[in-house]
Amino acid sequence: MTTDEPVDYERTWHAALAEMSKHGIGSRDRAFLNLTRFVGLIGENVLLSVPFEQTKRMLEGPLREQVAETLSNQLGQQVRVAISVDESLQAAVQELDGAGTDEGASQTGSDANPDTNAQEPDHSDGTLGFSVPGGSQIAAEQVPRPRSAHPDVVLPPRSVGGRTDAPQPSDEEYSPRLNPKYTFDTFVIGDSNRFAHAAAIAIAEEPGQAYNPLFIHGDSGLGKTHLLHAIGHYVHDYHPKLRVRYVSSEEFTNDFVNSIRDDRAATFQRRYRDNVDVLLIDDIQFLQGKEQTQEEFFHTFNALHSSGKQIVLTSDQPPEKLTTFADRMRSRFKSGLTTDVHPPELETRIAILRKKANAERMDIGDDVLELVASKISTNIRELEGALIRVAAYASLQKEPVDRAKAAFVLKDVVPSETGQITVHQIIAETAVYFGVTVDDIKGTSRSRNLVTARQIAMYLSRELTEHSFPQLGQHFGGRDHTTVMHAEKKIRQLIGERQPIYDQITELTTQIRRRSS
Ligand SMILES: Nc1ncnc2c1ncn2[C@@H]1O[C@H](COP(=O)(O)OP(=O)(O)OP(=O)(O)O)[C@@H](O)[C@H]1O
């Protein structure tokens, strides 16, 4: 994380609590504040996390002003308060509750401040395990919530960068192309990504205002793309007049190269400078070594930045390690907020699997989820891949899997310790397995056998390597990335429906892993 002055969040929060207590804060409010964590300071936004929706609603009442004022005093700058629900904090609350040690919580039932219009506890959302008066008061200035999205953060409304009169996007030129599954709602927060998530929310709340650019880095499969899309959805839903564009670095490169080839520089500029308010650009490391594209990106970046438009970048490396970028580029990348994502700890991995299993209606017990989470620790994409295998097995067997069966399935799935698997190797192994040639796999024949072999090779390449969809498209005979996406989705579905496909995938994975170790 990069900030001007490192702030000790925990100490600041405790000091703020002490100050509010001195000024006679009611015990009910203190109970809510005791449940709250100071997660980050982004510009003038303090990001607080609470374990329950109900706690959030309480803090969004008149208490928020008081908290903001106290924190402003503590931090020596005017701040506003954003509140998000982080379900992972519930475990800590339950521990405290079980031990009866939460001072505020244990007092609240009997000692609620009479001035706060206390009501009976509301546990209708299955939340608080102790007595907290539940009269929720939504702040009058709450941002209106359009459509179905409901990220758990509310800031007082503000005009967005003075651009509320920006023209409505025209469908022809504008398409955010966001994966509907990658939202803030589906993103599980843990220590490994808490700050990155908070920063993403702050950016999405006020594009171009909080930090610009936001630079998120971390190893493959840790949620960077997910956060980019989540920002895109949020802006799309809450700032409908702002135009969001998500693009992978490969697509940006291709667009640029094609625009030069076809003499369509103006179209390119319109797409990336004029017709965009929030540019989300993924895997910036792929621009390394592409000098002309980097130069164009530099101009795009400057044009957007100088007109107050938000840029969010992701990379597998921090800016200072992107050594083939010109210094001026790297210093641009660092000029806003840099944050990273780490491999999630066990509890977060279990929570991710549980959320995924619920979303996909997979009937898998907690003990099995724990087993899967304990086997795969460094890459969430692999974690999800393992879950899909276990679910597929259960679906084919038509009975729930227990730990022993899951362990049996996972022995072929768990990544080998050594050896880098390449797409080239996967294509070669798949070709041999199906009795076809590498050229057949990369070629265009639509014969049924070949299509299956090709799609399986694409699926395995996505699962076993760190390449993005556009890169895989290149490996498979220069295909469009959407073809690889389609193949991955198709095989993911078939693996749970057809035993032969399941067996082929399992055998091939074992072979590929064995040969690479
Ligand atoms: N915190 C999280 N909560 C829920 N799902 C997550 C989380 N982090 C990652 N995932 C899921 O893990 C998978 C991989 O994540 P994603 O593609 O965002 O990784 P990435 O960091 O962009 O990887 P790469 O650098 O290879 O592009 C996605 O399906 C994503 O939804």
Side-chain angles (χ1 to χ4, degrees), residues 422-434 436-438 441 457 508:
T422 63
V423 181
H424 179 74
Q425 182 195 351
I426 294 170
I427 293 179
E429 295 274 358
T430 312
V432 172
Y433 185 89
F434 283 98
V436 298
T437 67
V438 166
I441 300 261
L508 263 168

Side-chain angles (χ1 to χ4, degrees), residues 2-19:
T2 306
T3 52
D4 298 334
E5 276 279 310
V7 172
D8 184 333
Y9 299 145
E10 210 177 324
R11 186 179 298 168
T12 307
W13 183 240
H14 279 125
L17 284 184
E19 193 181 322

Side-chain angles (χ1 to χ4, degrees), residues 182 186-188 193 219-226 283 352 380-381 384 466:
Y182 293 173
T186 56
F187 192 85
V188 175
N193 58 32
D219 286 344
S220 181
L222 296 183
K224 302 182 297 294
T225 301
H226 190 134
D283 289 325
I352 289 172
I380 300 168
R381 187 173 302 119
E384 291 182 345
E466 298 184 350

